[in-house]
Amino acid sequence: MSCGGAIMEGDASSTATSSSSSTSMEPQMMTTHSQHFFGGPSRPDALSVTIIQVMREDYGMFTWPSSVVLAEYVWQQRAHFSGRTVIELGAGTALPGLVAAKVGADVILTDSSNRPEILDNMRQTCDLNKVNCKIMGLTWGEWDAGFCSLNPQIVLGADVLYDSSDFEDLFASVTFLLRSTPGSIFITAYHNRSGHHLVEYLMVKWGLKCVKLLDAFSFMPASKASTLQGNFELIEVKLDSDLVKGEWRRMSLPAMLVGETVGKFLLVSKFAKQSVLFDSNEPKTLMTTKTEPNNKTSI
């Protein structure tokens, strides 16, 4: 992908964790409250977010490093989030969305409709942080009246580029949301694993383009960057302006039809899923396997 752009200033911050037991989620379920700081204690606009985590084999109930990277970016770019409508996809513990809410955004936090315990944990975390966010079950690639009524100006996603079997549904949903609001943007932070040729392929397929690519170490405060293990990147994605003007170039059928009705959009999504199996040079497999929470570095 051809990308450019620069980040605003970084600032000092740190993260502290403390363990506690709780029965609010499930009986005899151990939880951890992790506290994340943004801006440093000497700054009048500094803030902190407390996250409720359930320590078990559950990706949606643990704050992964990509979430911390994206949350830091939201904080540093807070002037661009204040007063905007923001939706976080696959939010999990929702650290980026909560930071957006605290800097003045109107935030919708979403995760799989099939995981009510994750949605319930979001509600508890919002109450704990005294922020008013809308909580919504949203499964990528599935369209209903609630989803079709969304008009976000900013779409967030932390570590959503993990399971390649979800990529097609993810990009279909992102494209639909970007089409709903002219000038909107998708911002995602991710652990740079293998398989990005498939990401680039699908971005072309759905008529998207990267407008900014950043190495997380270029903007993360030293106290947070020192805890990262691996290569983390952040990208900003928009609709391809050439496509908006009708210059389809070598776009595939799904990209050409992306502006059609919801019914046709669903059919196109099914076609695109099948075409990936034939058009991609690599099999549709996981990019990597996430370790269990206790074995993965938290920030």
Side-chain angles (χ1 to χ4, degrees):
M1 291 179 287
S2 176
C3 309
I7 187 68
M8 295 174 63
E9 80 284 355
D11 49 37
S13 56
S14 62
T15 302
T17 61
S18 60
S19 298
S20 63
S21 62
S22 172
T23 58
S24 59
M25 292 298 301
E26 294 181 14
Q28 299 180 340
M29 179 68 67
M30 291 297 297
T31 65
T32 294
H33 286 194
S34 62
Q35 193 162 16
H36 304 260
F37 299 91
F38 302 87
S42 63
R43 298 185 57 154
D45 56 355
L47 62 84
S48 66
V49 175
T50 302
I51 297 295
I52 302 173
Q53 300 182 145
V54 177
M55 301 304 296
R56 67 177 189 181
E57 298 178 14
D58 193 324
Y59 301 147
M61 309 287 269
F62 187 81
T63 303
W64 303 101
S66 294
S67 293
V68 179
V69 171
L70 183 56
E72 180 65 30
Y73 184 77
V74 171
W75 160 254
Q76 293 186 20
Q77 300 286 337
R78 56 195 176 279
H80 299 289
F81 283 82
S82 180
R84 300 291 184 90
T85 300
V86 176
I87 184 170
E88 183 175 0
L89 301 178
T93 57
L95 179 60
L98 290 169
V99 173
K102 287 208 168 191
V103 300
D106 182 13
V107 177
I108 304 169
L109 302 174
T110 74
D111 212 297
S112 173
S113 304
N114 301 318
R115 299 296 304 277
E117 70 278 15
I118 296 178
L119 303 177
D120 184 58
N121 190 51
M122 286 183 194
R123 294 185 185 96
Q124 295 185 44
T125 303
C126 287
D127 291 343
L128 181 63
N129 288 278
K130 296 179 172 59
V131 294
N132 184 21
C133 298
K134 180 179 179 180
I135 310 299
M136 179 179 177
L138 191 161
T139 301
W140 303 338
E142 295 183 6
W143 280 259
D144 57 23
F147 175 76
C148 295
S149 67
L150 296 173
N151 299 105
Q153 295 167 295
I154 301 174
V155 181
L156 298 176
D159 213 11
V160 292
L161 300 177
Y162 164 63
D163 187 343
S164 62
S165 66
D166 292 331
F167 285 3
E168 193 70 60
D169 288 334
L170 170 65
F171 282 112
S173 298
V174 167
T175 303
F176 192 95
L177 292 171
L178 296 184
R179 296 282 299 188
S180 70
T181 307
S184 55
I185 191 168
F186 172 50
I187 307 173
T188 180
Y190 54 91
H191 186 183
N192 189 1
R193 308 174 180 98
S194 60
H196 280 197
H197 61 286
L198 180 56
V199 173
E200 296 172 1
Y201 171 85
L202 290 172
M203 285 180 63
V204 171
K205 178 183 288 291
W206 288 102
L208 302 172
K209 69 175 180 180
C210 174
V211 295
K212 182 183 290 187
L213 169 63
L214 297 170
D215 187 313
F217 290 96
S218 70
F219 64 88
M220 291 290 285
S223 58
K224 293 182 179 181
S226 63
T227 64
L228 294 178
Q229 294 184 356
N231 181 17
F232 291 85
E233 294 179 341
L234 180 144
I235 58 174
E236 293 187 358
V237 175
K238 290 187 175 183
L239 291 174
D240 193 321
S241 59
D242 290 336
L243 293 179
V244 174
K245 296 175 183 177
E247 299 175 6
W248 300 107
R249 298 179 298 181
R250 61 186 184 89
M251 296 297 106
S252 64
L253 180 61
M256 293 186 213
L257 297 183
V258 75
E260 297 295 327
T261 63
V262 173
K264 291 182 179 179
F265 196 92
L266 288 169
L267 291 175
V268 168
S269 180
K270 291 180 180 179
F271 171 85
K273 284 183 182 180
Q274 295 173 351
S275 66
V276 168
L277 298 177
F278 294 101
D279 295 338
S280 177
N281 292 327
E282 294 292 332
K284 202 172 182 182
T285 57
L286 294 177
M287 294 170 70
T288 187
T289 302
K290 281 187 175 178
T291 57
E292 295 182 8
N294 289 336
N295 297 327
K296 188 170 182 178
T297 301
S298 59
I299 301 178

